[in-house]
Amino acid sequence: MTRQYDLVVIGSGAAGLSAAVTAAHAGLTVMVVEKAPVIGGTTAWSGGWIWAPCNPLAIADGIVEDKDAPKQYLSHVLGNHFDESKVDAFLTYAPQMVGFFATKTALAFQSGSAIPDTYSDVVGAGQGGRSVIAAPYDGRALGDQIARLRLPLPATTFMGMTIQAGADLRAFMAMTKSASAFVYVARRFGRHLWDLVRHQRGMQLRNGNALIARLMRSALDAQVEIVTSANVTALQRDGQRVVGVTLQTADGTAVLGARCGVILATGGASHDVARFADGPAQAPRSLATTFSDGAGARLAEAAGADFDRSAAAPFAYCPVSEIPHRDGTTSLFPHIIERGKPGIIGVLKNGKRFCNEGNGYHDYVTALLAATPQGDVAESWLIATRDFQRKYGFGYARPNPLPLGPHLRSGYVKQARSIRALAQVCGIDPEGLERSLRDYNAAALRGDDPAFGRGSSAYNRLQGDANITPNPCVAPIMRGPFLAIRVVPGSFGSFAGIKTNAHAQALCKDGRVIDGLYAVGADMKSVFGGYYPAGGINIGPAMTFGYVAAKHAAGQI
């Protein structure tokens, strides 16, 4: 059985749905093929931020910057990994992508006007406005299609309720101190409980779940077909050109023709352990869905494409802790927020600090890997106090009024009355940890961090607590009980991927274009060469090059 389409998109994350919606609006017939039984990929689990410099929302907010500034910034950050043609394509089309979705589809955005780039003191860095996020979405607008939307990651929700960075999160953090915040949270949570009873899931969608829901609605409105639990087993070729796919479903095998091409958006290769077996001794624990298994890369390689591992880092790193559950299973928690707050440090097994804890999550892991002797397990411990946990939360242990006891009993959080006792419980060198705390506290009492300069950048200060002076990122760790959580390298996905050109066309080792084949999202080698210049640098390029690939396939670029 053969069915004909103009475009076949493999994968239903932000990259795949961006491409599908763009192509449909360009007049193409589109089929999206998703291997999982639900739609959204890892994007549905993500924070949902999209880095898109010079976007129309920033301009509307009065943030009008020199268009050369983002390029200058990326040139400084990426160094020898700066690919000018692909960076130029990203910076050209990212604002167009945001404008298209904001005006032509169900995807509405909110601006990150106060969010600086990660290396905010580098020449050309943005101090706000380069990021956008999908506006919250009522899941009821999807009708019965809501059943096909991937649920958010349980570890980053509260009973399945997503909480968005910014005013939403601040209200939850202040609920025990502010009457207005308490009322806001009570209303949000009350509605969430009603949704659980009536719909068996949260319907107040935020973050990556809202982004995917809005893209789903946009795809359905544009008559895009989406099939789930369907596996592409091969690419169809006519000579050297890719012209379709072989599809395996519960109903059997089918061939889907693709007159204008096939777009790979399968989520990358972060779970393809064998592919990276000759890399670092300890592969990071992946926060991507298990469907990010390198299947897209293998399809592309079978057609002659080159898998490019030349990025500065093969993965988009993030520090994670392992949460033990009563049934014997474990899950991962990404440490995004609390590391920048005042009153916490990260140490190695020898008790020494190794980085500015308030820097980007990718930088925390790269520093940890660099500080770990060859052959040793890369691991660190976050150290804080019970007071810190009550105020800010500590990993998966939420702040007041939620109890810490279950996390102590499970062993997720270690607790002791003294620093020496905490070190012994964790297997950390006691003298080393005591020395690190003495040095840190002596400077922290003045609001300083001479060892690593925490609080010295706009990015650091945004992660801190503005109510703490003189440094919102630094406070002493002096009064117990003291707490610790073991943190290891994790990743949001892969930076290594299929080599592509500025139109997202897959390339052979010698640079030849494979006609009819595109790779976007984590399937393509990151445009940022293995660096993490800002929050949203996974989804921003994913949606941008999904847009570019679709436009190119439609003959509009």
Side-chain angles (χ1 to χ4, degrees):
M1 173 183 173
T2 301
R3 286 178 283 168
Q4 285 293 329
Y5 296 89
D6 292 323
L7 189 70
V8 172
V9 178
I10 310 175
S12 67
L17 291 181
S18 171
V21 173
T22 302
H25 277 262
L28 303 188
T29 57
V30 184
M31 167 64 87
V32 174
V33 178
E34 171 57 57
K35 184 161 59 174
V38 289
I39 295 167
T42 302
T43 307
W45 284 354
S46 74
W49 284 98
I50 299 161
W51 198 61
C54 303
N55 67 76
L57 277 78
I59 294 170
D61 285 343
I63 303 173
V64 182
E65 58 180 328
D66 185 337
K67 291 185 178 180
D68 288 335
K71 183 174 179 178
Q72 188 178 29
Y73 171 65
L74 291 172
S75 177
H76 277 83
V77 172
L78 308 188
N80 292 335
H81 292 272
F82 181 77
D83 183 331
E84 186 169 16
S85 65
K86 289 176 69 174
V87 167
D88 282 345
F90 169 73
L91 294 175
T92 296
Y93 291 111
Q96 294 183 28
M97 177 274 295
V98 172
F100 163 73
F101 280 102
T103 58
K104 303 294 185 182
T105 77
L107 181 46
F109 296 104
Q110 293 177 341
S111 176
S113 57
I115 301 176
D117 291 337
T118 302
Y119 309 109
S120 49
D121 52 350
V122 169
V123 173
Q127 304 306 314
R130 290 181 178 176
S131 298
V132 298
I133 192 169
Y137 193 62
D138 187 340
R140 294 167 183 81
L142 281 175
D144 60 2
Q145 291 295 306
I146 187 71
R148 303 179 78 193
L149 175 65
R150 180 181 292 279
L151 291 167
L153 189 66
T156 59
T157 71
F158 178 63
M159 293 180 61
M161 180 173 65
T162 50
I163 300 171
Q164 185 170 313
D168 192 45
L169 176 61
R170 287 194 295 272
F172 277 85
M173 298 292 285
M175 65 173 292
T176 61
K177 308 173 193 138
S178 162
S180 61
F182 179 83
V183 170
Y184 173 88
V185 171
R187 286 175 176 168
R188 276 263 278 133
F189 188 55
R191 181 180 167 188
H192 177 68
L193 291 177
W194 172 248
D195 288 338
L196 290 180
V197 171
R198 185 163 185 182
H199 303 284
Q200 291 75 57
R201 64 158 295 152
M203 302 294 276
Q204 304 171 74
L205 308 182
R206 282 169 166 75
N207 303 337
N209 225 233
L211 174 59
I212 291 298
R214 286 182 174 277
L215 285 169
M216 277 181 66
R217 181 71 269 166
S218 302
L220 295 169
D221 291 345
Q223 308 303 310
V224 172
E225 293 184 45
I226 305 176
V227 59
T228 52
S229 299
N231 186 34
V232 173
T233 58
L235 298 175
Q236 295 286 317
R237 300 170 72 185
D238 182 2
Q240 297 301 306
R241 179 175 175 78
V242 173
V243 295
V245 303
T246 302
L247 186 66
Q248 185 70 44
T249 69
D251 296 327
T253 302
V255 174
L256 306 182
R259 286 180 286 264
C260 298
V262 173
I263 297 181
L264 299 173
T266 67
S270 60
H271 283 285
D272 189 355
V273 177
R275 184 179 292 277
F276 299 102
D278 60 344
Q282 181 184 356
R285 304 290 302 279
S286 181
L287 288 158
T289 75
T290 55
F291 294 96
S292 299
D293 58 3
R298 290 190 290 275
L299 289 170
E301 288 172 313
D306 180 35
F307 188 88
D308 190 344
R309 295 179 56 172
S310 65
F315 302 101
Y317 290 125
C318 173
V320 299
S321 53
E322 190 173 79
I323 307 165
H325 300 293
R326 289 181 179 179
D327 62 0
T329 63
T330 60
S331 59
L332 300 177
F333 182 86
H335 289 263
I336 305 297
I337 296 172
E338 92 273 41
R339 291 179 298 102
K341 297 290 186 278
I344 187 172
I345 61 170
V347 301
L348 302 171
K349 196 171 183 178
N350 60 15
K352 295 181 180 179
R353 291 175 69 202
F354 59 93
C355 72
N356 176 338
E357 296 88 351
N359 282 349
Y361 28 87
H362 183 79
D363 296 316
Y364 183 98
V365 175
T366 56
L368 172 58
L369 293 172
T372 301
Q374 186 71 28
D376 285 2
V377 173
E379 62 180 349
S380 66
W381 293 85
L382 289 176
I383 309 294
T385 66
R386 182 70 182 270
D387 287 342
F388 178 97
Q389 180 270 329
R390 288 191 182 107
K391 187 173 185 180
Y392 303 116
F394 192 44
Y396 188 55
R398 314 297 194 191
N400 271 358
L402 298 178
L404 178 63
H407 304 295
L408 296 174
R409 290 190 290 274
S410 73
Y412 174 69
V413 177
K414 308 295 185 184
Q415 177 177 272
R417 289 288 173 180
S418 70
I419 288 297
R420 175 168 284 268
L422 184 70
Q424 291 169 339
V425 167
C426 298
I428 302 170
D429 176 64
E431 285 76 19
L433 183 57
E434 286 182 330
R435 189 180 310 112
S436 292
L437 261 297
R438 282 197 302 269
D439 293 345
Y440 171 80
N441 285 335
L445 288 167
R446 306 187 304 270
D448 290 337
D449 180 23
F452 294 101
R454 201 156 110 200
S456 60
S457 71
Y459 179 86
N460 275 185
R461 292 188 291 275
L462 181 69
Q463 313 307 313
D465 183 343
N467 295 312
I468 301 298
T469 58
N471 188 335
C473 304
V474 172
I477 304 170
M478 301 182 74
R479 190 180 74 174
F482 299 99
L483 307 178
I485 295 176
R486 181 176 180 266
V487 173
V488 299
S491 80
F492 291 120
S494 51
F495 278 156
I498 296 301
K499 182 187 294 185
T500 59
N501 63 14
H503 293 141
Q505 292 175 285
L507 303 177
C508 301
K509 284 184 181 293
D510 61 7
R512 287 182 297 110
V513 168
I514 301 174
D515 287 336
L517 184 62
Y518 302 83
V520 298
D523 278 347
M524 71 180 287
K525 180 199 169 187
S526 172
V527 65
F528 302 127
Y531 291 92
Y532 219 110
I537 60 90
N538 290 313
I539 300 178
M543 292 191 65
T544 298
F545 283 103
Y547 172 86
V548 167
K551 286 281 192 180
H552 188 268
Q556 296 184 357
I557 289 180

